Amino acid sequence: QVQLVESGGGLVQPGGSLTLSCAGSGFAFGLRAMSWYRQFPGKERERVAAITTDGGTTIYDDSVRGRFSISRDNDKSTVYLQMNSLKPEDTAVYYCSVFITNRHWGQGTQVTVSS
């Protein structure tokens, strides 16, 4: 079955950086576009970034463009989210996701930006 396992979240000061990782298994990772979402308390999940199968095309939400970077290593079946210049309003649970018949999610990783 499809499995997505995120890691790399934590507490960081404003202006700091974090890199999230998501390891996929149970599907042909290199043949699927991948996405990162985040969810604020009491809100629906919103897409932050997405990347095509070969990594050649990436898209970002306006709120993170220029600060976040999505990448992937198909040999390692892993997608990354490099987050720079973090702001308190980036505090959320971050999920990686793949759409195969329906949308699949990892367990999420908490990112807290606070001094």
Side-chain angles (χ1 to χ4, degrees):
Q1 70 277 21
V2 174
Q3 282 196 317
L4 300 168
V5 179
E6 300 100 337
S7 61
L11 173 64
V12 63
Q13 292 188 342
S17 298
L18 279 177
T19 300
L20 306 183
S21 301
C22 172
S25 61
F27 65 101
F29 184 89
L31 300 182
R32 297 291 178 175
M34 298 295 296
S35 302
W36 283 97
Y37 284 69
R38 65 185 178 186
Q39 187 169 25
F40 302 112
K43 302 289 187 181
E44 292 189 358
R45 292 177 193 180
E46 59 182 39
R47 191 176 65 182
V48 172
I51 188 168
T52 53
T53 55
D54 64 354
T57 300
T58 55
I59 58 173
Y60 299 94
D61 184 79
D62 288 345
S63 63
V64 305
R65 188 175 293 113
R67 300 187 298 121
F68 290 12
S69 178
I70 187 171
S71 62
R72 66 190 296 161
D73 185 336
N74 287 341
D75 290 337
K76 296 182 179 179
S77 297
T78 300
V79 61
Y80 304 96
L81 186 67
Q82 173 69 43
M83 305 184 294
N84 299 323
S85 301
L86 282 161
K87 306 174 181 179
E89 51 264 43
D90 293 317
T91 296
V93 180
Y94 285 72
Y95 299 88
C96 71
S97 180
V98 63
F99 187 86
I100 305 171
T101 304
N102 57 320
R103 186 155 292 283
H104 298 266
W105 305 96
Q107 83 285 359
T109 186
Q110 175 71 45
V111 172
T112 302
V113 185
S114 175
S115 55

